[in-house]
Amino acid sequence: MTLVSKKCEPQPMQAIELIVKTDALPRFTTLLQSGIYMELDQGTSIGELLFALPGFSEKYVKETVQTIFLNGLPADTLQQKLFGKEAVIAISAAMPGLAGAIFRKDGVHASLRTSTAAELSSQDALETPITIRLKLFNMIAMDRGKELLANTCIVTAKSIGAFLNYRPPLYTAILKATLNGERIDTSILQEILSSEDMLKLTIRDK
Amino acid sequence: MADKIFRVNMTDLSTSIEDVPADWAGHGGRGLTSNIVAAEVPPTCHPLGPKNKLVFAPGLLSGTTASNSGRISAGAKSPLTGTIKESNSGGTSAQRLAKIGCKALIIEGQPQDDSWYSISLKPGEVTISKEEELIGKGNFAVVEAAEKRFNGKVGVLSIGQAGEMQMTGANISVKDPDSHVRSLGRGGLGAVMGSKKIKFIALDAEGGKVDIADVEAFKAANKVFTKALVDHPVSQALGTYGSNVLVNIINEAGGLPTKNFSSGQFEGHEQISGETMHDLIVERGGKPKHGCHAGCVIQCSQIYNDLKGKYKTSGMEYESIWAMGADCTVDNLDQIAEMDSIMDDIGIDSIETAVAFGVAMEAGVLDFGDSGEMIRIMTEEIAKGTALGRVIGNGAGSVGRTYGVTRVPVVKNQAIPAYDPRSIKGIGITYATSTQGADHTMGYTIATEILGVGGTADPLSKEGMVELSRGLQIATAAIDSTGMCLFIAFAALDDGACLPALIDMLNARFGISLTAEDVTNLGMSILKTEHAFNKAAGFTNLDDRLPEFFETEPVPPHNAVWDFTGEEIDTFWNF
């Protein structure tokens, strides 16, 4: 992810790496529904953010990322710039239902929305980078999640903990776990996660 | 085989097979059930009395090889809403009815004593039989027994205990290709079937077939239509996650009604999302992709297994999962699947009943999130017909009236599903104006530009929103007449070839030459017929309103309120 702000001070953060069985890897991508975090320069656009992600070509973003939410409101343009202290972006492939059509980027039924995400004001720009939480829903996580997770993501320890707690069989799919490069037993994973706030997570099958 | 009207009179236990009146010849599915109810049911009659009629009709394309054409419609005056009602479902019955040559099955009258009956249909034959063995049983036992009595390929329409007890949340179950059940869910039509003392209807289509006027033209159009469905990205999402893929995004929008509509976001949404459900299904050897009827190429249904990998339920929709989940703050899919299975067996609408539980939780009858108590009430109170069971089994409005709750999310006494109208106002207009009470399927996203119902007002104005909702409801009424699943809508919206191919199939099936304008006129005519029935039943424009709390209680996180005036809503019927 090349867009990470250079102004960003490296945070002391634990790094967990999981090597998992190949056939189980797609199920780990659901973790991305909770979101990954990144710090970007003020004024970065949603499009610039997405295009910088591994596997997010311009064609993929324009054709497949059909729904974008910015701070809980549907957004219609990739040019929307991001200002302020933090923002939440959620992206999804095509959604069913009238609601799916209403929220679709530039959709023909967009007029049935209660509101649409307004342009964020550059007056809200800070000296420090903006913290983005990016949630990936629907086919996006399954399509691109493996590449994202292999490239190391910053996530909340709570979200990984809850994710694994709800899916105990996934523990058996973990072939190797390391904490800051040191091998650990998966039985202490929850203990580590409960003592952390944010951490760097890498999940791959090789 | 020429289509006929099959008529059953439960008062004198007589049957007849009649020619189709000319006025009904061009109708199928919802268009036909609504026209028959409007023509033959006195609008002011008691919905559970002898003057109401229960009508089943396959869609115009049901029984053919047209992809996704296996929806059956049921219609009557609803005991839940008091309005005209059409409910439709997948399963195997639409195709069986069509192949039997039954354009509509009309059940009228009421037995003079307490005897129960079953009905069976074959090509050219309809029989009423006394039923004793299955009374008091749930739908699963009924389907199993009916398959044993008739040949295993028989279609089955049945009611569970809720229908027998005439609870207004009762549904009619429809056997699916795996001998599990789907539901004609909304509006309490199971209570109407119960009032006529019919436990089940068996449909034996052996030897029957559907005639196609122009076989080659039909095949060509179906090929185009099917390709449009298969290629569409929404079909991919539906085949992977089911409609439950909506949980995360509706929650993100602040439109996921939570804790009896007191918030728009649910903290436990990730535990019940479509993405999570997909993982659990795969992990336990279930099927994330599954069709509710033969010929479905989207396959949004699923087979959900329990922790031990044993079948638990199938076909859980977003709206049901939302109702049991966010609205009752239950964040466990296994508990939700358990409740879904119980409600399938009892035969009660999983939207209406779960929303009723949310209101009961607000009243303090049980705690929010207490799925164990919900399961107990379903099995020990609703299924057995205790006083509490009947209060909840009669729906959200019944619970609100009984316990003095003011936050009761109903329109025309039918529970509002899954999309908070404060956060998604366009859907709120449909909830308010629908001829059948709050229903998310009444104004679906259809290709308004092809049908010419997109409206002319500024789309961002309130007038424009009302106009678009009207256009969508007109288009939906027409599609509901074809037997098509509404999930064809996305392909119809984006692929210019899809809707014309559907019209081509109709023309090839019947040897006619419908145009898009004809389809629009059909939809308009259905809506007007339904509206006229409701007016004659005593409904006025003042019934086209959302509950007051939507205007006075801002919904977090966006703190939106419903701000359409009555005058603005009333323009809906200006056509």
Side-chain angles (χ1 to χ4, degrees):
Chain A
M1 282 168 254
T2 55
L3 268 183
V4 173
S5 173
K6 293 188 174 99
K7 294 177 187 171
C8 175
E9 292 289 327
Q11 300 292 312
M13 207 179 280
Q14 307 271 32
I16 286 180
E17 182 172 41
L18 305 176
I19 309 295
V20 304
K21 291 177 184 172
T22 303
D23 61 351
L25 187 54
R27 278 185 279 148
F28 281 90
T29 62
T30 301
L31 176 61
L32 299 170
Q33 69 181 334
S34 303
I36 58 176
Y37 291 78
M38 57 195 79
E39 295 194 324
L40 304 176
D41 287 329
Q42 298 282 333
T44 302
S45 72
I46 294 174
E48 287 168 333
L49 183 167
L50 296 179
F51 298 145
L53 299 174
F56 284 72
S57 65
E58 197 165 327
K59 182 174 187 294
Y60 182 79
V61 170
K62 287 186 175 165
E63 291 181 4
T64 307
V65 180
Q66 294 202 7
T67 312
I68 301 172
F69 272 79
L70 172 59
N71 294 328
L73 293 173
D76 288 320
T77 169
L78 294 167
Q79 280 73 50
Q80 193 129 330
K81 293 184 185 301
L82 303 166
F83 297 103
K85 187 180 175 203
E86 57 194 5
V88 180
I89 296 172
I91 58 174
S92 170
M95 302 295 297
L98 177 57
I102 288 171
F103 291 139
R104 192 192 290 188
K105 166 180 80 172
D106 273 335
V108 294
H109 299 330
S111 61
L112 295 176
R113 296 171 184 165
T114 295
S115 46
T116 296
E119 288 285 334
L120 300 182
S121 170
S122 60
Q123 291 183 346
D124 294 330
L126 305 173
E127 291 298 313
T128 53
I130 181 169
T131 300
I132 300 295
R133 180 183 182 189
L134 175 66
K135 301 178 185 178
L136 290 84
F137 299 150
N138 195 345
M139 299 303 295
I140 307 283
M142 199 175 277
D143 286 348
R144 295 293 179 262
K146 285 189 273 189
E147 287 167 87
L148 273 172
L149 290 171
N151 274 273
T152 305
C153 299
I154 295 173
V155 299
T156 65
K158 187 180 168 189
S159 67
I160 313 174
F163 176 81
L164 289 171
N165 262 344
Y166 205 59
R167 299 163 174 78
L170 280 186
Y171 278 104
T172 62
I174 301 172
L175 301 172
K176 183 183 171 188
T178 63
L179 175 66
N180 301 324
E182 298 288 323
R183 186 158 190 160
I184 56 168
D185 194 284
T186 52
S187 63
I188 64 165
L189 208 46
Q190 283 293 350
E191 188 184 330
I192 294 167
L193 294 171
S194 64
S195 63
E196 296 298 321
D197 180 17
M198 310 288 284
L199 49 78
K200 292 176 184 170
L201 176 70
T202 308
I203 302 177
R204 55 193 173 84
D205 61 348
K206 290 172 190 158
Chain B
M1 186 185 308
D3 288 339
K4 300 282 184 183
I5 301 293
F6 286 53
R7 192 179 292 271
V8 173
N9 186 316
M10 294 306 295
T11 303
D12 59 13
L13 303 180
S14 64
T15 66
S16 62
I17 297 176
E18 305 162 4
D19 289 336
V20 178
D23 284 352
W24 298 348
H27 287 290
R30 173 178 166 187
L32 187 54
T33 62
S34 287
N35 270 282
I36 292 174
V37 171
E40 298 197 353
V41 174
T44 54
C45 75
H46 195 295
L48 300 177
K51 291 181 181 172
N52 198 6
K53 300 193 182 191
L54 180 61
V55 184
F56 295 96
L60 290 165
L61 291 171
S62 298
T64 71
T65 56
S67 296
N68 290 59
S69 62
R71 304 291 291 188
I72 182 171
S73 290
K77 176 174 176 173
S78 163
L80 181 74
T81 63
T83 66
I84 199 165
K85 171 61 66 178
E86 184 265 358
S87 186
N88 63 66
S89 170
T92 59
S93 289
Q95 290 153 334
R96 295 284 187 286
L97 266 184
K99 287 177 181 171
I100 285 169
C102 176
K103 191 168 177 67
L105 168 63
I106 303 173
I107 301 170
E108 57 197 26
Q110 203 162 52
Q112 307 292 305
D113 58 17
D114 288 334
S115 299
W116 281 83
Y117 299 88
S118 67
I119 294 173
S120 60
L121 269 70
K122 291 179 179 179
E125 188 180 323
V126 54
T127 308
I128 304 172
S129 306
K130 231 175 189 178
E131 179 59 49
E132 290 173 351
E133 176 196 340
L134 296 173
I135 305 311
K137 296 281 196 329
N139 284 306
F140 301 160
V142 176
V143 168
E144 191 179 347
E147 284 189 333
K148 280 180 187 162
R149 281 188 215 174
F150 299 86
N151 75 63
K153 292 178 184 172
V154 73
V156 181
L157 296 158
S158 66
I159 57 170
Q161 297 93 332
E164 287 184 34
M165 291 183 272
Q166 301 176 39
M167 294 182 192
T168 55
N171 61 27
I172 297 172
S173 293
V174 186
K175 191 188 107 174
D176 77 5
D178 298 329
S179 299
H180 300 131
V181 298
R182 306 285 145 164
S183 305
L184 292 154
R186 309 229 63 194
L189 296 183
V192 180
M193 190 156 151
S195 76
K196 308 219 175 279
K197 303 283 184 194
I198 296 166
K199 183 63 179 175
F200 75 90
I201 301 166
L203 306 170
D204 183 352
E206 189 76 32
K209 71 186 266 284
V210 169
D211 295 326
I212 306 286
D214 186 338
V215 174
E216 290 311 312
F218 189 89
K219 276 186 190 170
N222 193 26
K223 192 173 173 187
V224 173
F225 181 72
T226 303
K227 185 174 186 315
L229 297 188
V230 171
D231 287 350
H232 197 277
V234 168
S235 301
Q236 194 184 4
L238 283 168
T240 306
Y241 304 113
S243 59
N244 198 33
V245 71
L246 282 162
V247 164
N248 275 331
I249 209 80
I250 302 299
N251 184 74
E252 194 67 22
L256 190 75
T258 298
K259 204 173 182 184
N260 189 33
F261 283 72
S262 60
S263 175
Q265 287 185 327
F266 178 42
E267 193 177 348
H269 66 99
E270 286 178 10
Q271 275 97 310
I272 63 168
S273 70
E275 291 86 337
T276 296
M277 186 168 83
H278 170 270
D279 292 351
L280 296 185
I281 289 170
V282 171
E283 195 171 278
R284 299 169 182 183
K287 287 184 188 173
K289 185 172 184 174
H290 175 254
C292 76
H293 66 273
C296 170
V297 297
I298 295 177
Q299 307 222 326
C300 71
S301 174
Q302 73 292 124
I303 300 287
Y304 188 96
N305 291 344
D306 65 14
L307 275 166
K308 294 177 182 169
K310 191 178 167 200
Y311 174 84
K312 174 52 68 178
T313 193
S314 52
M316 285 199 289
E317 297 283 359
Y318 159 68
E319 289 78 13
S320 298
I321 292 171
W322 154 78
M324 291 177 268
D327 198 46
C328 295
T329 69
V330 172
D331 61 1
N332 184 305
L333 275 172
D334 286 326
Q335 296 282 291
I336 290 171
E338 176 71 25
M339 290 189 270
D340 187 69
S341 174
I342 292 168
M343 287 192 279
D344 274 352
D345 197 28
I346 296 171
I348 199 156
D349 180 14
S350 55
I351 297 176
E352 188 67 46
T353 309
V355 174
F357 269 107
V359 179
M361 288 168 175
E362 174 106 27
V365 176
L366 68 168
D367 292 334
F368 276 103
D370 190 350
S371 52
E373 180 64 1
M374 289 172 76
I375 288 169
R376 189 199 70 74
I377 290 174
M378 286 178 193
T379 53
E380 294 180 18
E381 310 273 359
I382 299 176
K384 292 177 182 171
T386 67
L388 174 62
R390 286 172 191 266
V391 167
I392 293 178
N394 279 324
S398 156
V399 176
R401 286 188 295 276
T402 303
Y403 291 99
V405 178
T406 55
R407 191 189 295 122
V408 184
V410 297
V411 177
K412 301 184 179 82
N413 201 43
Q414 180 164 279
I416 293 177
Y419 312 87
D420 196 300
R422 291 165 289 192
S423 301
I424 317 172
K425 286 188 184 158
I427 292 183
I429 298 162
T430 299
Y431 288 160
T433 54
S434 152
T435 51
Q436 307 185 23
D439 187 329
H440 62 288
T441 66
M442 293 300 288
Y444 227 61
T445 171
I446 310 286
T448 45
E449 73 287 1
I450 293 177
L451 294 176
V453 290
T456 54
D458 173 3
L460 292 174
S461 67
K462 285 184 174 174
E463 185 188 359
M465 291 172 86
V466 171
E467 203 171 34
L468 183 51
S469 172
R470 179 197 304 145
L472 295 174
Q473 290 195 53
I474 288 168
T476 301
I479 298 296
D480 279 343
S481 300
T482 62
M484 284 290 165
C485 168
L486 273 181
F487 288 173
I488 69 159
F490 320 112
L493 190 66
D494 294 332
D495 187 332
C498 182
L499 204 53
L502 173 60
I503 296 170
D504 288 346
M505 280 195 288
L506 288 167
N507 289 333
R509 157 83 167 94
F510 296 103
I512 53 177
S513 46
L514 284 178
T515 64
E517 189 181 356
D518 295 328
V519 173
T520 303
N521 289 335
L522 173 68
M524 278 189 196
S525 146
I526 294 167
L527 271 195
K528 286 183 174 177
T529 299
E530 293 172 345
H531 189 228
F533 181 94
N534 291 347
K535 285 207 297 186
F539 286 82
T540 72
N541 60 321
L542 299 180
D543 294 296
D544 289 351
R545 303 288 185 263
L546 297 189
E548 187 181 29
F549 77 88
F550 285 115
E551 297 171 21
T552 57
E553 296 182 17
V555 62
H558 299 308
N559 295 320
V561 292
W562 175 251
D563 59 359
F564 275 72
T565 65
E567 290 73 23
E568 287 163 344
I569 294 170
D570 290 344
T571 62
F572 179 90
W573 290 106
N574 294 343
F575 71 100

